[in-house]
Amino acid sequence: MSPRHTGERATCPAREVLARVGDKWSVLVVGLLSDGPMRFSELRRSIDAISQRMLTLTLRGLERDGLVTRTVTPTIPPRVDYALTRLGRTLLDPVIALARWAEANRPAIQQSRDRYDATHAARRPKALRSAS
């Protein structure tokens, strides 16, 4: 809900929490950890197109927010596992509901995109039309 609908200013306290739990990488990591702890390398292999740096930043943010724990086992090389905390597990229901909604509505959204693109293609400059 926008601040004008809630009566709150743009500095809504929930904004930074929503930024964390709403970013695409965090949602994917939380979903993957729903089945149990995973190593960094397992997470990286499971998420197409995420860089090592972005996964590290995402995990640090989730750990800072208390949604993920990081456990280091002193072996050679060290083993690092990530798992959802109790608070992190409370995020699973909304994440799963959002994923189901996205899956169920993907065809309708694609149809809307196709209609929009067809309608607005004539408005794009000729150079852009031929590039797409």
Side-chain angles (χ1 to χ4, degrees), residues 59-103:
L59 288 164
R60 282 185 189 158
L62 291 168
E63 183 181 13
R64 181 175 183 249
D65 291 347
L67 301 171
V68 166
T69 58
R70 179 180 186 266
T71 304
V72 179
T73 305
T75 59
I76 298 175
R79 179 185 173 108
V80 181
D81 291 292
Y82 294 90
L84 292 176
T85 62
R86 181 176 288 138
L87 180 61
R89 290 206 158 283
T90 67
L91 190 53
L92 288 176
D93 286 341
V95 165
I96 290 167
L98 183 59
R100 286 183 180 146
W101 180 90
E103 190 175 312

Side-chain angles (χ1 to χ4, degrees), residues 7-128:
E8 296 180 38
R9 296 180 158 220
T11 56
C12 172
R15 179 179 246 160
E16 69 181 61
V17 174
L18 291 171
R20 163 69 56 219
V21 300
D23 98 56
K24 70 179 177 178
W25 302 123
S26 293
V27 169
L28 289 170
V29 168
V30 167
L32 286 168
L33 293 176
S34 66
D35 290 332
M38 291 180 78
R39 296 178 77 171
F40 183 92
S41 57
E42 292 175 297
L43 287 165
R44 183 144 185 238
R45 278 192 303 271
S46 299
I47 303 173
D48 289 337
I50 192 168
S51 67
Q52 181 171 335
R53 181 178 185 280
M54 185 52 66
L55 181 55
T56 298
L57 291 172
T58 299
L59 288 164
R60 282 185 189 158
L62 291 168
E63 183 181 13
R64 181 175 183 249
D65 291 347
L67 301 171
V68 166
T69 58
R70 179 180 186 266
T71 304
V72 179
T73 305
T75 59
I76 298 175
R79 179 185 173 108
V80 181
D81 291 292
Y82 294 90
L84 292 176
T85 62
R86 181 176 288 138
L87 180 61
R89 290 206 158 283
T90 67
L91 190 53
L92 288 176
D93 286 341
V95 165
I96 290 167
L98 183 59
R100 286 183 180 146
W101 180 90
E103 190 175 312
N105 290 285
R106 177 71 176 115
I109 290 169
Q110 188 59 54
Q111 287 175 350
S112 293
R113 288 176 178 176
D114 293 344
R115 270 194 312 276
Y116 180 92
D117 291 349
T119 303
H120 293 83
R123 294 183 189 174
R124 286 186 277 165
K126 188 174 183 178
L128 291 178

